[in-house]
Amino acid sequence: LDVAVDIIRRARLMSVSDLLVEMFCDETLDLSLRKSAGYALVELADKKQRSRCKKVLQGPMVNQLKGIVLRMAWPDQMSVEEFIPLLCHKSGSVTDFFFSWITHGGFVASLSRLSSGDTIKLLRWAVSEIKRRDGLLDCIADARRSIFLHCWKAGRSKKFVPLLAKGIVAYDAACQSPFGNDNDEWRDSSHIFSHQDFSNDVKRRREVAKCIVEDTTLPIDAVCGCWMQLLRAEDGDFVVMSLGATANPAIRERWANCLRYIGYMKLPERTNLWNKLHQEFPKIYSCDAATALAESEKFETEMNTMRLRNEQDSKRRKARNKSILSRNVVWAREVLRNGKAKGRFCSLMERSE
């Protein structure tokens, strides 16, 4: 039967695809045969047949067959509400077909066919799932990242921005948590910030950063890492403009704090701005520009002195070790030349090491 199904698939015999649907949905048949029928249906089934195949998701072999069903039915014959529970299965095994569909492009390609509303539903799910650590499959972490990056790159609605901001904060918190980079499930936490689409989209980075900075419900300590990931020193002019555009004292303070975090407030170039911020935010800019510059130069001098001292110490250690090694080599040659016992030579070499 497996061979017959393969011939049907290769010959593209559409007339017998109804029989393949019956085989795929028949719980009494061997699993390998049902898979063969499913692989053929991915290529041959029409819309009605693909919808009929969804009944498999209610059966006992859902984890083994859902990758095939998703390949057939998502997103044209399956709603987001039907799709999300399939990503949340934690029990049982899952086939390579499902894993490869999630991780090797099939799922990512399907996202471009979703409506804006359905994409937002998926993004809400992805953001809500970031903090979960209760045994989700590795490929689900890939699905979260794919959804997030797709929305980052192709978001067509302003509704995306606050959700992306929440996702950024959640990803950053996950990456800094005790479970962070030691857990394979969280490999998407570090990748999200280094992805090229994320890094190069200046407009979107600034939009999301503005949303995070101006959300005063988020403590500064919880989001300062996000500012450093979203904004660079070259975004400083944007931050200064945003600071000047608001009269809210709490938001102004957060923008002023942001300037320090992104490395924009370098002296002496920013002397005038530094002094203005010192007058308005003495807790953040605790001294005037002249004092800050003097302290910075003093700190840099101390660091250079320490670096020079460490280099000198390192050179002395290398010279001393080289001298010891030279003496031991001479001694070892003398031992061999005089025919001393092999055991004594081995002991000598151990001491030299």
Side-chain angles (χ1 to χ4, degrees), residues 21-59:
V21 174
E22 293 177 10
M23 292 173 60
F24 183 63
C25 297
D26 189 346
E27 297 178 4
T28 64
L29 291 182
D30 183 73
L31 180 61
S32 64
L33 184 57
R34 295 178 70 188
K35 286 182 179 180
S36 296
Y39 296 149
L41 287 168
V42 167
E43 300 180 18
L44 303 179
D46 58 26
K47 291 183 178 180
K48 290 183 179 180
Q49 291 165 343
R50 292 171 190 270
S51 294
R52 285 169 57 194
C53 289
K54 289 195 298 182
K55 64 183 289 187
V56 169
L57 301 177
Q58 310 302 321

Side-chain angles (χ1 to χ4, degrees), residues 105-284:
F107 174 63
V108 175
S110 73
L111 293 175
S112 62
R113 307 209 308 271
L114 292 176
S115 67
S116 180
D118 284 343
T119 306
I120 287 177
K121 291 178 184 177
L122 267 186
L123 180 58
R124 285 200 182 101
W125 169 82
V127 172
S128 68
E129 289 291 307
I130 288 171
K131 295 182 179 180
R132 293 189 59 173
R133 303 184 180 93
D134 53 349
L136 287 171
L137 297 166
D138 284 346
C139 55
I140 306 307
D142 291 324
R144 281 192 309 233
R145 188 178 72 251
S146 296
I147 294 167
F148 196 84
L149 289 172
H150 169 75
C151 294
W152 178 270
K153 184 179 180 181
R156 293 155 287 180
S157 167
K158 291 183 178 179
K159 294 180 181 179
F160 281 84
V161 174
L163 283 171
L164 288 169
K166 289 181 180 179
I168 289 287
V169 174
Y171 268 115
D172 188 64
C175 203
Q176 294 179 9
S177 73
F179 299 89
N181 295 326
D182 295 331
N183 189 334
D184 286 343
E185 182 190 340
W186 288 105
R187 65 189 186 278
D188 56 340
S189 301
S190 57
H191 288 179
I192 196 72
F193 291 118
S194 61
H195 197 281
Q196 186 176 1
D197 291 338
F198 179 93
S199 180
N200 292 345
D201 194 340
V202 176
K203 181 180 178 181
R204 183 53 57 89
R205 282 196 292 105
R206 291 180 177 181
E207 286 177 343
V208 175
K210 182 178 175 66
C211 189
I212 293 174
V213 172
E214 297 189 353
D215 184 354
T216 54
T217 63
L218 298 171
I220 289 179
D221 291 343
V223 296
C224 61
C226 302
W227 297 343
M228 289 187 287
Q229 297 285 1
L230 286 164
L231 298 173
R232 288 75 161 128
E234 55 266 28
D235 297 310
D237 292 339
F238 161 76
V239 177
V240 173
M241 183 178 67
S242 301
L243 173 65
T246 179
N248 186 312
I251 296 178
R252 285 180 61 81
E253 182 177 359
R254 290 165 75 88
W255 279 120
N257 221 326
C258 185
L259 283 173
R260 293 291 301 273
Y261 276 105
I262 65 174
Y264 180 75
M265 295 302 293
K266 293 182 179 179
L267 295 171
E269 295 90 339
R270 315 292 180 198
T271 298
N272 292 335
L273 179 60
W274 185 290
N275 287 330
K276 289 180 181 179
L277 294 174
H278 167 60
Q279 293 177 0
E280 186 175 358
F281 308 107
K283 291 183 179 179
I284 303 173

